[in-house]
Amino acid sequence: MEQTENVFTAKTVDEAIAEGLATLGITLDEAEITVIEEGKKKLFGSVKAQVKVEKKRSEGKRAADFIDNLLAILGIKAVSEVVSEDEAINIDIKTTASSRVIGKRGDVLDAIQCMAGAYANIGSESYKKVVVDCENYRAQREQTLKELALKLAAKAVESGRKMSLEPMTPYERRIIHSVLMDNADVKTVSEGKEPARYIVVIPNNAKPGDKGIRYGERHGGRGNGRRDNRGGGRRDNRGERRSDNRGERRSSGGAKRGKKEIHFGAFLGNSNDLKPEETKTEE
């Protein structure tokens, strides 16, 4: 029988497994076994069985190894550390490329967390939640959302109008709802469909029929859907830009309109160029 890096070779699979368990000093329930070659007889001689026997990793260690391998494929040097495995599996990613790991408003980090959670629970009888963090992003984001919720409520009461946010994940929406749950001046509802579901803060003094406004939106300037014409050229009766050269003609059909971009998460930067919501779907 031969053994190399936890790969055991014998005449049969069972004999190879038995050799591996004895060498590692573990039981069958404590082992992760991968059959490399089942072994078979040939016309001249035979092929031996090969199995890889390793001590079973915890769900957290499996998830951390999965994340490290995933980030290596993406060309990101990082080390994932299991912080705790009690009620939930908490994993912290340490890397110098934190912006690539976190992504825009945490979208990359959320994707890593989703995949790691699915991988960690493969073969488990009960589901265990996996939370992946990097550079304390989760706590910082939660604090930002709490401050935003209070600011949004104050703006809604001051203006007497409904205020809506950019689409958020269910986790982020729960933070906004929980912060304003006991606020006597406003109530919060979620509208739209995933993944573009967003929160609307409704003040008690809102007028009937008020369609609301997007938080951070300006009035009378940008945000009214029209562009400044100071960039040169003229517009025809339909509002389309025409060249100063009257001999030029627009190509047939004109330029196609681009699709409206959907932003995920709360928009916390300069939102002057955001257009108002066109439609809302009841919850």
Side-chain angles (χ1 to χ4, degrees):
M1 299 182 184
E2 301 176 1
Q3 182 262 324
T4 304
E5 295 182 355
N6 292 339
V7 176
F8 299 85
T9 304
K11 290 183 179 180
T12 65
V13 170
D14 290 340
E15 289 180 1
I17 292 174
E19 175 69 13
L21 296 177
T23 301
L24 298 178
I26 57 177
T27 65
L28 186 60
D29 292 336
E30 298 172 326
E32 287 185 3
I33 298 172
T34 305
V35 178
I36 301 173
E37 175 60 60
E38 293 185 355
K40 56 185 175 182
K41 292 183 178 181
K42 301 175 67 176
L43 183 61
F44 300 101
S46 61
V47 176
K48 291 185 177 181
Q50 278 191 333
V51 298
K52 186 173 185 178
V53 182
E54 297 178 297
K55 187 174 182 180
K56 188 176 292 183
R57 296 167 293 172
S58 66
E59 289 89 347
K61 186 62 171 65
R62 290 176 60 210
D65 290 344
F66 171 82
I67 293 172
D68 286 343
N69 292 332
L70 175 63
L71 294 178
I73 293 173
L74 297 175
I76 301 175
K77 293 182 179 180
V79 176
S80 301
E81 177 184 339
V82 180
V83 179
S84 64
E85 290 190 70
D86 299 328
E87 296 181 0
I89 299 170
N90 290 277
I91 299 174
D92 185 46
I93 301 176
K94 300 184 181 301
T95 178
T96 56
S98 57
S99 60
R100 294 182 61 192
V101 172
I102 295 172
K104 186 176 181 180
R105 304 188 188 99
D107 56 354
V108 176
L109 192 63
D110 287 341
I112 293 173
Q113 177 174 285
C114 181
M115 290 186 286
Y119 186 83
N121 285 282
I122 292 176
S124 299
E125 294 181 359
S126 58
Y127 180 82
K128 202 164 189 178
K129 183 180 179 181
V130 175
V131 179
V132 181
D133 200 359
C134 179
E135 299 291 338
N136 202 33
Y137 170 79
R138 300 290 183 193
Q140 293 174 7
R141 177 65 171 165
E142 181 174 345
Q143 182 60 34
T144 298
L145 290 174
K146 287 179 178 179
E147 294 173 0
L148 179 65
L150 297 175
K151 186 176 182 179
L152 194 68
K155 287 284 186 181
V157 173
E158 179 184 1
S159 64
R161 302 198 63 185
K162 301 176 183 177
M163 305 288 289
S164 60
L165 279 169
E166 291 289 327
M168 293 181 178
T169 64
Y171 169 74
E172 292 182 331
R173 293 199 304 270
R174 281 195 293 271
I175 294 174
I176 301 292
H177 286 308
S178 63
V179 171
L180 299 180
M181 181 170 40
D182 297 326
N183 191 310
D185 297 321
V186 301
K187 67 176 181 179
T188 60
V189 295
S190 292
E191 296 186 1
K193 295 182 179 180
E194 297 291 1
R197 198 160 170 78
Y198 58 93
I199 282 183
V200 180
V201 178
I202 306 174
N204 295 339
N205 60 343
K207 296 179 181 179
D210 174 42
K211 295 183 179 181
I213 56 176
R214 178 65 57 84
Y215 175 70
E217 180 181 281
R218 279 186 180 180
H219 301 281
R222 290 183 179 180
N224 58 7
R226 300 183 62 184
R227 299 180 62 183
D228 194 349
N229 194 32
R230 290 175 292 178
R234 301 181 302 135
R235 292 183 182 273
D236 59 18
N237 293 334
R238 294 175 297 176
E240 295 182 351
R241 187 178 296 280
R242 296 175 58 185
S243 171
D244 285 333
N245 185 350
R246 299 184 182 182
E248 285 186 345
R249 293 180 177 270
R250 292 177 57 87
S251 59
S252 177
K256 294 182 178 179
R257 290 185 178 181
K259 293 183 178 179
K260 183 178 180 181
E261 182 181 0
I262 297 177
H263 300 273
F264 296 92
F267 189 86
L268 305 179
N270 182 0
S271 54
N272 294 336
D273 291 329
L274 290 178
K275 295 182 179 180
E277 302 250 359
E278 296 175 357
T279 59
K280 292 185 179 180
T281 306
E282 294 185 358
E283 189 173 17

